Amino acid sequence: MMGAAPRLKDAGLAALVALALAFPLIGFETAESGVGFTTRFPWVAIAGAAVFAGRLLLGLLPQRFHLRQRASRSTAVSDGKFVKLAAAALIVFAVLLPVLPFASRRSIDLATLALIYVILGWGLNVVVGLAGLLDLGYVAFYAVGAYSFALAVQWFGLSFWEMLPLSGVTAATAGILLGIPVLRLRGDYLAIVTLGFGEIVRIVLNNWTSMTGGPNGIGDIPRPTVFGMPIAPGAPAGVTTFNHVIGIAYDPIQRLIWLYYVALAVALIINWFSLRIRRLPVGRAWEALREDEIACRALGLNPTTIKLSAFATGAMTGGFAGVLFAARAGFISPESFNFQESATVLSIVVLGGMGSQLGVALAAVILATLPEFGREFAQYRMLIFGAAMVAIMIWRPRGLFTVRAPSVRLDQT
Amino acid sequence: MSALLKISGLRAAYGQIEALKGVDLTVGAGEIVALIGANGAGKSTLLMTICGRPRAAAGTIVFDGRDITNLQTFAIVRFGISQAPEGRRIFPRMTVLENLQIGATTAAPERFDRDRARVFELFPILGERRHQRGGTLSGGEQQMLAIGRALMSQPRLLLLDEPSLGLAPLVAKQIFGVIRAINAEEKITVLLVEQNAHHALRMAHRAYVLQTGSIVLSGTGAELLANEEVRAAYIEGGARGAA
Ligand SMILES: Nc1ncnc2c1ncn2[C@@H]1O[C@H](COP(=O)(O)OP(=O)(O)OP(=O)(O)O)[C@@H](O)[C@H]1O
Ligand SMILES: [Mg+2]
């Protein structure tokens, strides 16, 4: 516990720093005329006072934040009960979402987007969170998935359901192709090379006009059918629409709901798969590789196959997300696959607490929907985003869910 | 006694630095062989070179009649060599049990339960701590885990790099006891690098002294223990007369 005097001193110090910063940043303003500047020193004083008060308040906040943090570090295993309950609640909510009162075309569409980010987060989590390979070009696999789908539709007339698995395969292949040259790299070097890979894919898509349509993108991407039957107002001869079969009138929202459920199903399958694979030797090997590559070798693990399998699994997941993205938008172009997407997905993994399925899902939902909520007050969007980041770094420096659940338990020896 | 591991003329280098300058060394099946030497003599390098990292620049390493000199590390380990490397290198964020599981990667899965039970019998504290994260174990417990993890791959040859490093005398003694036990009861051959020369030589059937990349002395443990030079150089308070 701190006494009053040191607290005041601490707050005073913070206020001083704030004043020093505020003096040039807030204290001067370019004059309306554009020449010279006007001063606004009262605001500098207000900023200083606000920081003083804020810092003081922060110090008075119960220390239990810190205690809790320490506790979560020292115990090996937290009770998985809370996590399980939260996950179950989240799944129930997700299943019921389209029938909830606030469900609208916009909210369901947004929820689908959030699910796509959840899938992306889980995919990158395998690479970064589990295997510890920092990948800044993850968007490349998202793009490969989306473009394989769109191109297969355009050239071969394949459908969503045919291309969902196939795009996973092409993305996984791209993952292995990227993996092979970077096998020897780790950390910063790996990050830079993967960053380059992401850019290469985007630039190729942008410039290979004859194949990809370049910046104009590819349109007319079909939505998923319901067991081969489209959801549509009317159908060409020989095709029965799903709404006709079940005898309800067509409403555009039905398509959105169906796509939402398809995305939810894909997400749940991926979640199930991720939870299983952590307990299998390959999943354990990913984590061991993250911890110590030399020890892995000394124990007979082959880092090459471990890394490639992590890249391939992550990329495949990204490919699935890409197909869903293309089906949702009906149109794709290279600008949807820029570095910012990679950065967003990486923030999802980091904020979620590397390696935690639930944490990543929550972070994905927050990061995917935040910009939408923020749009009403667009000017505060970055501010909220930044504040959320700072808050997490203060209280949850290792992500929303910091505790790594062990992959195996054994009750008697 | 047949040779399980036969190293001849082995050289290894890190760039320009020659760490091994033609090492000949034999480990017979069922033996405990100690390797002692000053800091920087190349002991760890020798153990690592057996596992293929760094690669041998010259010479051969034959394990159980098979030339393993140019095999990949993971392939070498699959033939039945496992190492508790210098600095333990356990997986800090994974639990004791998970560390053991990774150790068992190359082993037959149906033997896992039995091997795990055996490790917990050798090191009961690991059994109590089986769900604790590796990084939060004490130094001695981490060392036990490193040895236990190496044992999980059912090695025929166990390479131990300074297992008593930084341990309280009593814990070190316990570790040496376990090494003896696994050698006697499970017929696991051991090549042991140790700074604690006194203990190592008493326990070892045979021993080698490595000096700046070359073997300068070899003999039975008892012979080296009685050797004046060895006592002067490697055993604290062991110099009789001349230093
Ligand atoms: N990765 C490396 N890169 C460059 N030089 C190395 C490397 N590892 C070891 N060396 C050098 O090789 C020589 C032998 O090192 P080694 O680790 O084998 O010694 P050691 O006998 O195990 O010593 P200690 O008892 O201190 O562990 C030393 O001169 C060391 O500086
Ligand atoms: Mg050493």
Side-chain angles (χ1 to χ4, degrees):
Chain A
M1 286 296 282
M2 257 199 274
R7 280 228 178 94
L8 283 173
K9 198 175 144 198
D10 175 60
L13 216 67
L16 264 179
V17 173
L19 282 176
L21 283 174
F23 182 72
L25 291 178
I26 300 178
F28 300 94
E29 190 186 28
T30 322
E32 298 275 303
S33 62
V35 198
F37 45 79
T38 54
T39 60
R40 40 177 189 181
F41 292 128
W43 284 102
V44 176
I46 291 174
V51 168
F52 181 80
R55 182 75 205 178
L56 207 59
L57 264 175
L58 203 66
L60 291 175
L61 274 181
Q63 258 81 2
R64 70 195 156 83
F65 284 119
H66 303 276
L67 286 182
R68 200 193 292 154
Q69 219 178 73
R70 217 162 289 142
S72 73
R73 272 183 205 157
S74 61
T75 48
V77 179
S78 85
D79 62 303
K81 246 192 201 131
F82 166 73
V83 170
K84 264 192 196 133
L85 252 154
L90 217 62
I91 291 174
V92 169
F93 175 76
V95 170
L96 293 180
L97 183 97
V99 299
L100 292 180
F102 62 85
S104 63
R105 289 184 62 168
R106 179 154 171 256
S107 61
I108 290 172
D109 190 47
L110 187 59
T112 310
L113 183 69
L115 279 174
I116 291 172
Y117 277 102
V118 170
I119 294 171
L120 284 171
W122 283 339
L124 187 61
N125 187 37
V126 167
V127 183
V128 178
L130 293 184
L133 303 164
L134 186 50
D135 183 351
L136 292 183
Y138 189 60
V139 73
F141 309 121
Y142 189 32
V144 167
Y147 267 89
S148 337
F149 173 37
L151 289 172
V153 170
Q154 200 176 46
W155 294 92
F156 310 112
L158 294 180
S159 70
F160 174 91
W161 290 111
E162 285 158 330
M163 278 318 286
L164 185 64
L166 285 180
S167 294
V169 173
T170 49
T173 312
I176 291 172
L177 287 181
L178 166 68
I180 290 170
V182 301
L183 276 173
R184 292 163 166 276
L185 305 178
R186 284 192 76 85
D188 335 9
Y189 298 102
L190 179 67
I192 291 168
V193 174
T194 51
L195 179 74
F197 183 74
E199 283 301 287
I200 288 170
V201 167
R202 189 179 59 82
I203 291 168
V204 167
L205 292 175
N206 217 356
N207 290 292
W208 194 359
T209 320
S210 59
M211 181 78 174
T212 65
N216 297 331
I218 303 176
D220 287 332
I221 299 170
R223 291 169 178 276
T225 57
V226 188
F227 308 111
M229 294 170 284
I231 303 176
V239 180
T240 332
T241 63
F242 178 67
N243 29 315
H244 179 78
V245 170
I246 58 167
I248 50 168
Y250 169 77
D251 181 338
I253 198 174
Q254 291 158 356
R255 287 175 169 182
L256 294 179
I257 293 178
W258 175 240
L259 184 65
Y260 170 79
Y261 277 123
V262 170
L264 184 61
V266 172
L268 288 177
I269 291 169
I270 287 171
N271 180 45
W272 176 82
F273 177 78
S274 311
L275 290 175
R276 301 247 44 181
I277 207 165
R278 261 200 69 208
R279 303 207 176 92
L280 299 179
V282 52
R284 265 200 305 273
W286 290 337
E287 289 199 76
L289 188 76
R290 173 193 69 202
E291 308 271 284
D292 193 327
E293 187 170 337
I294 292 181
C296 281
R297 285 179 197 279
L299 294 169
L301 277 72
N302 181 353
T304 306
T305 52
I306 300 174
K307 283 186 194 175
L308 287 183
S309 63
F311 270 121
T313 310
M316 182 171 71
T317 313
F320 294 146
V323 174
L324 291 167
F325 175 81
R328 168 179 170 268
F331 164 81
I332 52 170
S333 72
E335 81 189 274
S336 308
F337 305 104
N338 54 23
F339 172 67
Q340 186 155 5
E341 291 296 305
S342 292
T344 306
V345 181
L346 189 64
S347 328
I348 287 171
V349 174
V350 173
L351 291 182
M354 300 217 231
S356 152
Q357 290 292 111
L358 181 62
V360 167
L362 285 178
V365 170
I366 292 168
L367 284 198
T369 52
L370 195 70
E372 299 298 319
F373 288 125
R375 203 150 274 164
E376 270 93 54
F377 36 114
Q379 43 185 333
Y380 299 114
R381 199 167 120 194
M382 287 319 286
L383 192 66
I384 296 172
F385 199 79
M389 291 272 189
V390 170
I392 284 181
M393 286 306 134
I394 290 176
W395 286 300
R396 291 255 164 228
R398 294 178 173 190
L400 291 174
F401 287 84
T402 54
V403 193
R404 175 186 172 276
S407 67
V408 56
R409 294 201 54 91
L410 175 77
D411 289 322
Q412 80 281 349
T413 343
Chain B
M1 188 175 294
S2 66
L4 184 62
L5 179 75
K6 190 163 168 48
I7 296 174
S8 357
L10 186 67
R11 290 173 174 277
Y14 300 101
Q16 295 296 318
I17 306 167
E18 241 201 336
L20 299 177
K21 304 168 183 167
V23 170
D24 297 300
L25 180 148
T26 309
V27 181
E31 275 188 313
I32 297 179
V33 171
L35 182 63
I36 59 175
N39 292 127
K43 307 178 298 292
S44 301
T45 305
L46 180 57
L47 294 198
M48 292 307 285
T49 311
I50 294 171
C51 290
R53 277 211 157 213
R55 279 250 168 270
T60 55
I61 305 167
V62 176
F63 177 68
D64 198 20
R66 208 187 265 114
D67 187 342
I68 59 166
T69 321
N70 290 311
L71 293 183
Q72 294 255 25
T73 303
F74 65 87
I76 293 170
V77 174
R78 282 171 196 188
F79 283 133
I81 298 181
S82 86
Q83 173 163 191
E86 188 168 31
R88 296 146 195 169
R89 292 189 169 271
I90 53 159
F91 303 113
R93 286 178 62 189
M94 305 178 83
T95 65
V96 168
L97 202 53
E98 287 170 322
N99 268 274
L100 294 181
Q101 280 182 317
I102 301 210
T105 302
T106 60
E110 62 276 10
R111 280 192 49 177
F112 179 78
D113 285 324
R114 205 169 71 208
D115 289 346
R116 188 210 69 228
R118 173 68 176 151
V119 168
F120 288 167
E121 183 190 323
L122 291 171
F123 302 110
I125 186 80
L126 291 185
E128 287 167 33
R129 300 293 167 95
R130 62 188 177 279
H131 295 310
Q132 189 170 328
R133 278 186 290 156
T136 61
L137 295 174
S138 80
E141 289 159 359
Q142 291 190 11
Q143 186 61 59
M144 296 177 199
L145 180 55
I147 298 175
R149 190 179 64 177
L151 285 174
M152 292 301 291
S153 69
Q154 301 155 5
R156 280 179 293 158
L157 174 63
L158 181 62
L159 308 175
L160 298 173
D161 199 341
E162 304 204 23
S164 74
L165 187 73
L167 302 188
L170 263 179
V171 182
K173 215 168 156 188
Q174 189 196 347
I175 299 240
F176 286 127
V178 167
I179 296 170
R180 254 199 210 103
I182 53 184
N183 175 257
E185 292 160 26
E186 267 144 78
K187 311 280 172 262
I188 294 177
T189 307
V190 178
L191 176 55
L192 168 75
V193 165
E194 254 304 331
Q195 289 294 348
N196 192 336
H198 181 74
H199 263 105
L201 293 177
R202 274 203 357 204
M203 179 170 76
H205 301 114
R206 289 188 310 111
Y208 291 84
V209 178
L210 190 66
Q211 206 173 68
T212 54
S214 311
I215 300 285
V216 292
L217 254 180
S218 67
T220 65
E223 279 166 14
L224 290 197
L225 203 53
N227 183 302
E228 286 299 324
E229 286 171 57
V230 170
R231 296 195 72 86
Y234 303 111
I235 295 175
E236 199 184 340
R240 296 183 201 133

